[in-house]
Amino acid sequence: MQPFTSLGHFNLKATDLQASIDFYAKLGFPEFLRLTQADGRTWIVYLRITDELYIELLPGGTGRAGDQQAAGLNHLCLTTPDIEATAAHLAKVGVPLVSPLDPAKRGVDGNRGMWVVDPDGNRIEIMEMAPSCDQYEAIKAFHATGKATTLKRPI
């Protein structure tokens, strides 16, 4: 038996809680629960990705995230079935791309992607998975053999 079924949530500490709530709402993740302390101060805000996957935002963060060399979480990846429509949506709601979408470019894994950052500098990759991308092909092989796939790719 596999002990876990899914990722439940990830937690981000925000320097400006409302700015983070507004940013993630623009990405399509609305607030659905707010927990407060006895004195009424916000303790945790939950944003819905799916009914079983949430973003937990905590107020009171200091400093800036986004150091690509630091140990720990490097970035979050959101998938989309239509990257052009998602790029248009982001432009419409005022979320700038840090790495522009190149319609002709695919990553070494066969997927298309672009990047944004949240108000605290957390990097977010937005990816359109190709039907025959490395990840999907490796999952097929894993189901068939129970073994990991190793691929050499130029980076």
Side-chain angles (χ1 to χ4, degrees):
M1 176 187 100
Q2 186 173 339
F4 305 105
T5 58
S6 179
L7 178 66
H9 72 265
F10 59 92
N11 179 289
L12 299 173
K13 198 151 188 149
T15 56
D16 180 334
L17 184 61
Q18 192 58 54
S20 290
I21 291 168
D22 294 344
F23 174 83
Y24 285 102
K26 289 177 183 179
L27 296 184
F29 308 132
E31 178 180 341
F32 74 94
L33 174 63
R34 185 176 292 232
L35 302 178
T36 60
Q37 299 176 39
D39 64 4
R41 287 181 298 138
T42 298
W43 175 39
I44 300 173
V45 173
Y46 285 91
L47 309 177
R48 181 189 177 278
I49 296 176
T50 70
D51 287 347
E52 297 167 347
L53 178 59
Y54 321 121
I55 301 171
E56 239 183 29
L57 291 178
L58 296 176
T62 60
R64 181 119 173 113
D67 179 356
Q68 294 182 42
Q69 302 309 313
L73 184 67
N74 183 275
H75 71 272
L76 164 69
C77 179
L78 302 171
T79 58
T80 179
D82 184 339
I83 203 158
E84 281 89 4
T86 301
H89 168 77
L90 294 174
K92 180 180 175 184
V93 299
V95 175
L97 299 179
V98 221
S99 174
L101 177 62
D102 179 346
K105 185 177 178 187
R106 291 196 176 269
V108 295
D109 57 4
N111 297 314
R112 299 175 61 210
M114 57 191 177
W115 293 82
V116 299
V117 295
D118 78 1
D120 289 303
N122 291 298
R123 298 173 339 111
I124 302 169
E125 179 180 16
I126 300 168
M127 185 180 292
E128 179 185 275
M129 305 289 285
S132 61
C133 68
D134 289 348
Q135 294 89 336
Y136 289 161
E137 294 300 317
I139 285 293
K140 283 184 211 170
F142 181 79
H143 284 298
T145 66
K147 295 181 181 179
T149 300
T150 300
L151 300 173
K152 286 187 180 181
R153 294 288 189 256
I155 54 171

